[in-house]
Amino acid sequence: MVNKIYRESLEAIRDVKDGAVIMFGGFGLSGIPQNLIRALYEQGTRDITVISNNPGSRLGDTEYGLAILFKAGRVRKFIGSFPTATKSFKELYEQGKVELELVPQGTLAERIRAKGAGIGGFYVRTGAGTLLGSGKETRTIQGARYILEQPLGADFAFVKAYRGDVYGNLVYRYTGANFNPLMAMAADITVAEVEEVAGAGDIDPNTIHTPGIFVDRVVKGERYDRWYE
Amino acid sequence: MVNKIYRESLEAIRDVKDGAVIMFGGFGLSGIPQNLIRALYEQGTRDITVISNNPGSRLGDTEYGLAILFKAGRVRKFIGSFPTATKSFKELYEQGKVELELVPQGTLAERIRAKGAGIGGFYVRTGAGTLLGSGKETRTIQGARYILEQPLGADFAFVKAYRGDVYGNLVYRYTGANFNPLMAMAADITVAEVEEVAGAGDIDPNTIHTPGIFVDRVVKGERYDRWYE
Amino acid sequence: MIAGMSEKDMARRAAMEIRDGFCVNLGIGMPTLVLDFVPSDKTVFFHTENGLLGMGGFARKGEAHPDLVDAAKQPVTYVKGASFFPSDVSFAMIRGGHIDLAIMGAYQVSGNGDLANWTAQGMMPSVGGAMDIVVGIGKIIVMMMHTTKDGRPKIVKSLTYPVTGFRCVSMIITNLCVLEVTEKGLVLKELAPGVSAKDVLACTEADIVMPKEQKTIS
Amino acid sequence: MIAGMSEKDMARRAAMEIRDGFCVNLGIGMPTLVLDFVPSDKTVFFHTENGLLGMGGFARKGEAHPDLVDAAKQPVTYVKGASFFPSDVSFAMIRGGHIDLAIMGAYQVSGNGDLANWTAQGMMPSVGGAMDIVVGIGKIIVMMMHTTKDGRPKIVKSLTYPVTGFRCVSMIITNLCVLEVTEKGLVLKELAPGVSAKDVLACTEADIVMPKEQKTIS
């Protein structure tokens, strides 16, 4: 019988090897898998490629989320849309200690979805003719300039949902969804941390945002920081 | 103040002109905008292009849904994946009285989504090397053969939801969603018929399937046939 | 003509390919019989292309809802843990390689696993999700009668019907036998009770590799 | 240097471009001030790229939820009729042409409406949704100070900063004036109180078409 529930975050990410490519859901601090990030930090995994909208986020003088991995020098490369959000990334970047692949946010979302949906590539106008479009195959469609974008996958996706059940069905809340449902589709192994574990059949099947087929492991997050008052 | 509610189906489709390209949500008889279809029939609109998974559906000896438009000779062309579902379409097709563009179901869904999402085209393996892929641009990606597919839009989308509110937010039920949320994104004007009209703010914003931005008109369906016991 | 297995026995044999935790797409017609043969100690989610993962069975009188149907447009039920979703997500599951197994019917299968099951000459064509399934789902089992009604082989050297997909079939379960599609071509794995390897060869056009022994399906 | 309008007055002027029923994307920073100037008799849904249509305002103490933020990662509220959705749907709204208006900041705008607002030389680049917005949203209003802090023109003949999008800006609202981007180039439509056409010309590098009369923003 299938039961995707793991007892703790560390257990759910134990097989993540040095050099892994990992997608992290979240936008700023909303919808980030903070417990899986902490577990990965504790585990000491190195040389990872991070795919995420931001490399962590700053509130006042403190940096949260993925920033702990960057600060600790665990990340080889960042693929995302808005790295300016953290000072620790900026410092590493300026010292040439971390690689950056900058992707427009909508293209990032669409590339991840493309991987999950078996799309071999797609054309968008976003970035055509700009620095971010340079080197990409260009095509004129109905008078407008488009560039070809590639699907983007990963070894692991770490996502965060509000609720999840034993089959991996997930429900998000507010703007906590963001990249999470897309990343869940695009990785070899998807690990979801949730605030609440629901029993089999307890989630109305009409309200499920991520069907369990996209999720391999579910773990109840150990601790949720309250960043705002 | 915005209020997208129309009083009756006929009013909601009055400006559909002869020759219009119209998408119809639904799969078989599930999730079809049956009241809008009836209104279009009553209005007498001719020479339309129908984009839909099926050209109606048969139960026992009777044909329902879009079949009434085909039977009445109102349709110039059908774009869809499974026309075998109705005898009336088959007869017209064999007599050369209706054009058929056959599209694999997943490609149909993705082409409609592409139009709604501003994607200029995309590559899929589906159909490559087959009759349905013939004439399409081919490309080898990581050793596999892909074909280029185009976005597919329409003048109107007629969709059906379980609930809708004054802002056009929609909620579907069971397998009633199917093509409806995609078509709602891909047409110049989207008309939604719903079983229940909800007040402003009555639908939990976390459970909305189609945000109101994609929907121009909402009408409460006058009559819902019960096809099954 | 040799009868071999009944459709139910074929479905029972096909169900043995379903492992615990699998998500399985069932084609219209004969493959839906497989629903009845999944042991209750396995968690299996059946996918229907119109937007449901976790199909139960056919709805009984009083259970049917007009907006709850399967790919054949028949009213169905759903199981605990099921989810509903629109067509783009349904085909993301299929095309994106998320579904473990598909069981479908066929007009013809060739020795290298090419499949024809969407249309024939002179027929009004319909395709549905067949072409998406054959490129997206890693394991495809074809479940069909070994020959046409008038006794012509359906397992052929090369397809004469319009192709659905290339080298996509992994296994063929017919009323006569179970064949695996391998690098070396078709291999006869199992025989239906009362059917001999010679019987199979007699009504198959494609070459078949014969292992020393064939198991009989019990 | 002439002060011209305050940021609030610029936001008030920008808000006048919002029609009943509009869906509007507001950029980070100054554009968010527009939220306060939409008259209550208009139904306007504010879009934030991270997955909310129907943003209310900034959350007050006690209202904030960690999973309810805007594009600037600030805690916000939502209005009646709002909806939440994932990033692909959010950018389908943007790229697919469903949003009526975007109001954003800029480093530079050229006379033909080219826009630079994502990075500068020597800066670590960040792009967010800016490049998606400029290709997808039909009407783009830039809201910015007329010059840099040290007085150099931001409205230029051609961009010296890396381009975000080409011929995408429809209107520029600065502390000094309102300019429309037309086929003929920039046209001076309105002046801030106490500002003359000559003042505007003095700190603008791009050519400006001067209609006979300019309205003063009231």
Side-chain angles (χ1 to χ4, degrees):
Chain A
M1 301 298 289
V2 165
N3 182 349
K4 297 181 177 175
I5 306 292
Y6 279 62
R7 272 180 314 124
E8 50 168 26
S9 294
L10 258 171
E11 190 192 43
I13 63 141
R14 191 157 287 161
D15 56 346
V16 179
K17 299 273 191 312
D18 289 353
V21 177
I22 313 174
M23 291 176 165
F24 296 83
F27 184 95
L29 298 175
S30 68
I32 61 166
Q34 53 177 293
N35 290 283
L36 299 177
I37 293 169
R38 277 193 288 262
L40 195 68
Y41 172 77
E42 284 170 38
Q43 181 167 281
T45 313
R46 311 191 67 83
D47 198 31
I48 59 178
T49 295
V50 168
I51 301 171
S52 180
N53 191 62
N54 314 105
S57 203
R58 192 178 52 218
L59 271 184
D61 289 335
T62 317
E63 294 185 331
Y64 295 92
L66 288 167
I68 58 169
L69 298 178
F70 285 94
K71 264 189 220 166
R74 305 282 180 72
V75 186
R76 191 181 70 72
K77 183 178 180 180
F78 172 69
I79 303 174
S81 92
F82 209 84
T84 307
T86 65
K87 221 173 76 180
S88 54
F89 179 84
K90 196 163 179 274
E91 285 168 6
L92 291 166
Y93 176 75
E94 285 166 355
Q95 293 159 19
K97 287 181 178 162
V98 66
E99 221 182 304
L100 168 63
E101 182 181 336
L102 195 67
V103 184
Q105 194 177 157
T107 298
L108 182 64
E110 196 67 17
R111 287 180 62 190
I112 296 167
R113 180 190 176 277
K115 172 67 184 179
I119 302 296
F122 59 90
Y123 291 96
V124 284
R125 291 199 290 144
T126 310
T130 75
L131 278 178
L132 296 187
S134 71
K136 294 190 173 171
E137 193 179 316
T138 303
R139 166 184 305 238
T140 300
I141 301 171
Q142 297 182 333
R145 191 159 42 162
Y146 285 74
I147 52 177
L148 178 63
E149 294 285 357
Q150 309 294 334
L152 181 63
D155 301 318
F156 287 86
F158 289 2
V159 305
K160 191 260 175 178
Y162 167 50
R163 291 181 87 196
D165 70 15
V166 295
Y167 303 117
N169 292 305
L170 303 180
V171 173
Y172 309 96
R173 215 163 36 155
Y174 309 131
T175 57
N178 54 69
F179 286 88
N180 285 299
L182 310 171
M183 291 176 170
M185 297 167 66
D188 292 343
I189 294 175
T190 292
V191 186
E193 69 163 78
V194 300
E195 293 181 48
E196 284 182 18
V197 173
D202 284 353
I203 306 179
D204 173 356
N206 291 296
T207 66
I208 288 169
H209 295 123
T210 292
I213 191 171
F214 298 126
V215 177
D216 301 287
R217 304 170 189 173
V218 175
V219 64
K220 188 175 183 321
E222 284 83 2
R223 191 185 95 209
Y224 284 97
D225 282 346
R226 282 257 147 199
W227 293 297
Y228 309 111
E229 279 166 34
Chain B
M1 302 297 289
V2 164
N3 183 348
K4 297 181 178 175
I5 306 293
Y6 280 61
R7 272 180 315 127
E8 51 168 27
S9 294
L10 258 172
E11 189 192 43
I13 63 139
R14 190 156 290 160
D15 56 346
V16 180
K17 300 273 192 311
D18 288 356
V21 177
I22 312 174
M23 292 175 164
F24 296 83
F27 184 95
L29 298 175
S30 68
I32 61 166
Q34 52 176 294
N35 290 284
L36 298 177
I37 293 169
R38 278 194 286 262
L40 195 68
Y41 172 78
E42 285 170 37
Q43 182 167 280
T45 313
R46 310 191 67 81
D47 197 33
I48 59 177
T49 295
V50 168
I51 301 171
S52 180
N53 192 62
N54 313 105
S57 205
R58 192 179 52 218
L59 271 185
D61 288 335
T62 317
E63 293 185 332
Y64 295 92
L66 287 167
I68 57 168
L69 298 178
F70 285 94
K71 264 189 220 165
R74 306 281 180 72
V75 186
R76 191 180 70 73
K77 182 177 180 180
F78 172 70
I79 303 174
S81 92
F82 209 84
T84 307
T86 64
K87 222 174 77 180
S88 53
F89 179 84
K90 196 163 177 278
E91 285 169 5
L92 290 167
Y93 176 75
E94 285 166 354
Q95 293 160 18
K97 287 184 180 162
V98 65
E99 220 182 305
L100 168 63
E101 182 181 336
L102 195 67
V103 184
Q105 193 177 158
T107 298
L108 182 64
E110 195 67 16
R111 286 179 63 189
I112 296 168
R113 180 190 175 277
K115 171 67 184 180
I119 303 296
F122 57 90
Y123 291 97
V124 285
R125 291 199 290 143
T126 309
T130 75
L131 278 179
L132 296 187
S134 71
K136 294 189 173 173
E137 193 180 316
T138 302
R139 166 185 304 238
T140 300
I141 301 172
Q142 297 183 333
R145 191 161 38 162
Y146 285 74
I147 52 176
L148 178 63
E149 293 286 357
Q150 309 295 334
L152 182 63
D155 301 318
F156 287 86
F158 289 2
V159 304
K160 191 260 175 178
Y162 167 49
R163 290 181 87 196
D165 70 13
V166 294
Y167 303 117
N169 292 304
L170 303 180
V171 173
Y172 308 97
R173 216 163 38 156
Y174 308 131
T175 57
N178 55 69
F179 287 87
N180 285 299
L182 309 170
M183 291 176 170
M185 296 167 66
D188 292 343
I189 294 174
T190 292
V191 187
E193 69 163 76
V194 299
E195 292 180 49
E196 283 183 20
V197 172
D202 284 353
I203 306 179
D204 174 356
N206 291 296
T207 66
I208 288 170
H209 295 121
T210 292
I213 192 171
F214 298 126
V215 177
D216 300 286
R217 305 171 188 173
V218 175
V219 65
K220 188 175 184 318
E222 282 85 2
R223 190 185 96 210
Y224 284 97
D225 282 345
R226 282 258 147 198
W227 293 297
Y228 309 111
E229 278 166 33
Chain C
M1 229 189 305
I2 301 152
M5 286 188 284
S6 68
E7 293 192 356
K8 280 194 172 184
D9 286 340
M10 291 162 66
R12 182 179 291 116
R13 177 59 191 85
M16 289 170 58
E17 297 298 314
I18 298 175
R19 296 219 295 265
D20 191 25
F22 263 25
C23 293
V24 180
N25 181 285
L26 295 181
I28 293 177
M30 214 198 288
T32 57
L33 295 173
V34 173
L35 274 172
D36 294 333
F37 295 101
V38 177
S40 61
D41 63 340
K42 282 182 186 164
T43 308
V44 177
F45 285 101
F46 288 101
H47 175 265
T48 177
E49 64 193 22
N50 52 314
L52 163 58
L53 183 69
M55 185 167 57
F58 294 108
R60 270 167 278 163
K61 215 166 172 164
E63 276 184 337
H65 188 285
D67 282 348
L68 180 41
V69 302
D70 70 357
K73 288 101 184 175
Q74 295 302 307
V76 293
T77 61
Y78 61 90
V79 301
K80 265 189 191 179
S83 52
F84 296 101
F85 35 81
S87 302
D88 63 325
V89 176
S90 186
F91 282 87
M93 292 179 184
I94 290 173
R95 221 179 20 228
H98 305 281
I99 296 180
D100 302 289
L101 173 66
I103 305 176
M104 58 204 311
Y107 298 144
Q108 286 185 329
V109 183
S110 76
N112 63 359
D114 293 350
L115 171 69
N117 70 351
W118 70 285
T119 194
Q121 216 171 16
M123 192 191 251
M124 184 183 71
S126 270
V127 65
M131 286 195 186
D132 306 282
I133 288 169
V134 297
V135 300
I137 301 183
K139 182 163 183 175
I140 307 275
I141 297 178
V142 162
M143 190 178 157
M144 64 176 189
M145 299 307 284
H146 204 93
T147 61
T148 62
K149 277 179 194 157
D150 52 359
R152 280 175 296 126
K154 297 177 72 170
I155 302 170
V156 294
K157 282 190 194 294
S158 65
L159 303 180
T160 58
Y161 281 61
V163 65
T164 306
F166 300 93
R167 296 177 177 275
C168 56
V169 177
S170 308
M171 179 179 269
I172 308 169
I173 299 176
T174 75
N175 51 321
L176 303 186
C177 66
V178 176
L179 296 162
E180 243 176 27
V181 186
T182 72
E183 300 274 297
K184 290 177 276 181
L186 299 176
V187 176
L188 183 65
K189 300 295 281 187
E190 300 168 30
L191 288 164
V195 175
S196 72
K198 214 178 129 190
D199 296 333
V200 169
L201 287 174
C203 58
T204 306
E205 186 199 289
D207 294 329
I208 297 181
V209 176
M210 289 289 167
K212 288 220 177 79
E213 283 177 40
Q214 286 88 36
K215 234 177 68 182
T216 293
I217 300 165
S218 54
Chain D
M1 229 189 307
I2 301 152
M5 285 188 286
S6 69
E7 292 191 357
K8 280 195 173 184
D9 286 340
M10 290 162 66
R12 183 179 290 118
R13 178 60 191 83
M16 290 170 59
E17 298 298 314
I18 299 175
R19 297 218 295 264
D20 191 26
F22 262 24
C23 293
V24 180
N25 181 286
L26 295 181
I28 293 176
M30 214 197 288
T32 57
L33 295 173
V34 173
L35 275 171
D36 294 334
F37 295 102
V38 177
S40 60
D41 62 340
K42 283 181 184 163
T43 308
V44 177
F45 285 102
F46 287 100
H47 174 266
T48 178
E49 64 193 23
N50 52 314
L52 163 57
L53 183 69
M55 184 166 58
F58 294 108
R60 270 167 277 164
K61 217 167 172 163
E63 277 184 336
H65 188 284
D67 282 347
L68 181 41
V69 302
D70 69 357
K73 289 101 184 174
Q74 295 302 308
V76 293
T77 60
Y78 61 89
V79 301
K80 266 190 191 180
S83 52
F84 296 101
F85 35 81
S87 302
D88 64 324
V89 175
S90 186
F91 282 88
M93 291 178 185
I94 289 173
R95 222 179 20 231
H98 304 282
I99 296 180
D100 301 287
L101 173 66
I103 304 176
M104 59 203 310
Y107 298 144
Q108 286 184 330
V109 183
S110 75
N112 63 359
D114 293 350
L115 171 69
N117 70 351
W118 70 285
T119 194
Q121 216 171 15
M123 194 191 249
M124 185 184 70
S126 271
V127 65
M131 287 194 186
D132 306 282
I133 288 169
V134 298
V135 301
I137 301 184
K139 182 163 182 176
I140 307 275
I141 297 178
V142 162
M143 190 177 155
M144 66 175 187
M145 299 305 285
H146 203 93
T147 62
T148 63
K149 276 179 194 157
D150 52 359
R152 280 175 297 126
K154 297 177 72 171
I155 302 171
V156 294
K157 283 190 195 294
S158 66
L159 303 180
T160 58
Y161 280 61
V163 66
T164 306
F166 300 93
R167 296 178 177 274
C168 56
V169 177
S170 308
M171 179 179 271
I172 309 169
I173 298 176
T174 74
N175 51 321
L176 302 187
C177 65
V178 177
L179 295 163
E180 244 177 26
V181 186
T182 72
E183 300 274 298
K184 288 177 277 181
L186 299 176
V187 176
L188 183 66
K189 299 295 283 187
E190 299 168 31
L191 287 165
V195 175
S196 71
K198 214 176 129 189
D199 297 333
V200 169
L201 287 175
C203 58
T204 305
E205 187 197 290
D207 295 329
I208 298 181
V209 176
M210 289 289 166
K212 286 220 177 82
E213 283 177 39
Q214 287 88 35
K215 231 175 73 179
T216 293
I217 299 165
S218 54

